[in-house]
Amino acid sequence: MSELARRYAAACYDLFPDAARFADAARFIGGCTPLREALEAPTIDWREKERVLARLPLFLDSPQLLDFYRLLVQKGRMKLLPEIAEAFRALDLETHNTAVCQMRCVRVPDEARQAKIRAALCKLHHRDQVLLEITTDPDLLGGFLLKIDGVTYDHSVRGRLRSLARQLQERRMI
């Protein structure tokens, strides 16, 4: 992530700290290929791009957010939008003392189990909240794998089998 994207994200966050609305707008523009390409195209005049932005329904009740996007098209920075959105999310998470945890598991755990995992991670990492991003991975055989704040917790059957194999190898060498 570039320093320029971080600065744009910080400026926007100061003016418009509604992370959900910002993310929705970034997803909408990023997900509509013809719109994104038109807003990024250097051959299209920035005034025309501003007129297109002003007609989008997602900016009707968000003049500050519209102004931010106008600034991006005036400066020719729309290609930075994915990076800016990532930096904006990081700022919002940091402001709310929230961490994102990638969880890989064979089956998605029920809400009660997820709540226990979030509570344990909040306590371990001194966070107010933990967001779980869950993906399924049948190669784990069972259990789960967690990655949060640069730390990996391997509670998978596959990981335990690897650990057991490593221990047996070490004993064989002694």
Side-chain angles (χ1 to χ4, degrees):
M1 181 180 333
S2 70
E3 182 59 31
L4 186 58
R6 283 190 189 98
R7 286 187 297 192
Y8 272 102
C12 184
Y13 194 80
D14 286 344
L15 296 172
F16 189 80
D18 187 343
R21 294 285 301 271
F22 184 85
D24 288 345
R27 256 192 313 275
F28 178 81
I29 290 171
C32 183
T33 304
L35 174 62
R36 181 182 45 78
E37 288 174 351
L39 292 173
E40 291 176 358
T43 56
I44 299 174
D45 186 58
W46 62 268
R47 290 180 228 26
E48 184 60 33
K49 294 176 185 180
E50 280 188 345
R51 285 190 284 276
V52 169
L53 286 172
R55 289 192 303 259
L56 293 175
L58 56 114
F59 297 123
L60 288 178
D61 59 345
S62 302
Q64 296 98 343
L65 191 56
L66 176 58
D67 288 344
F68 178 74
Y69 278 87
R70 283 180 171 153
L71 178 67
L72 290 180
V73 297
Q74 287 172 8
K75 299 292 184 181
R77 306 280 195 218
M78 282 303 292
K79 286 187 178 189
L80 285 176
L81 186 57
E83 284 184 69
I84 294 168
E86 183 183 333
F88 192 98
R89 183 173 189 232
L91 275 171
D92 188 57
L93 292 172
E94 183 181 315
T95 300
H96 294 100
N97 195 27
T98 301
V100 175
C101 175
Q102 284 85 35
M103 178 181 196
R104 287 180 28 216
C105 51
V106 175
R107 284 186 307 268
V108 177
D110 62 18
E111 279 302 316
R113 179 78 168 147
Q114 288 181 39
K116 286 181 183 178
I117 292 169
R118 280 193 295 271
L121 290 171
C122 283
K123 188 175 181 180
L124 279 170
H125 290 267
H126 309 288
R127 298 292 187 149
D128 294 335
Q129 188 177 7
V130 170
L131 302 176
L132 290 177
E133 292 180 348
I134 302 173
T135 57
T136 56
D137 182 358
D139 291 341
L140 294 178
L141 305 174
F144 55 87
L145 188 81
L146 303 172
K147 290 185 180 180
I148 180 173
D149 292 339
V151 179
T152 300
Y153 300 99
D154 191 347
H155 292 278
S156 67
V157 172
R158 183 174 153 197
R160 290 179 183 178
L161 288 173
R162 269 197 308 253
S163 176
L164 180 61
R166 192 173 39 250
Q167 289 174 6
L168 290 173
Q169 280 288 50
E170 289 172 1
R171 286 185 184 164
R172 193 180 294 167
M173 292 182 161
I174 292 179

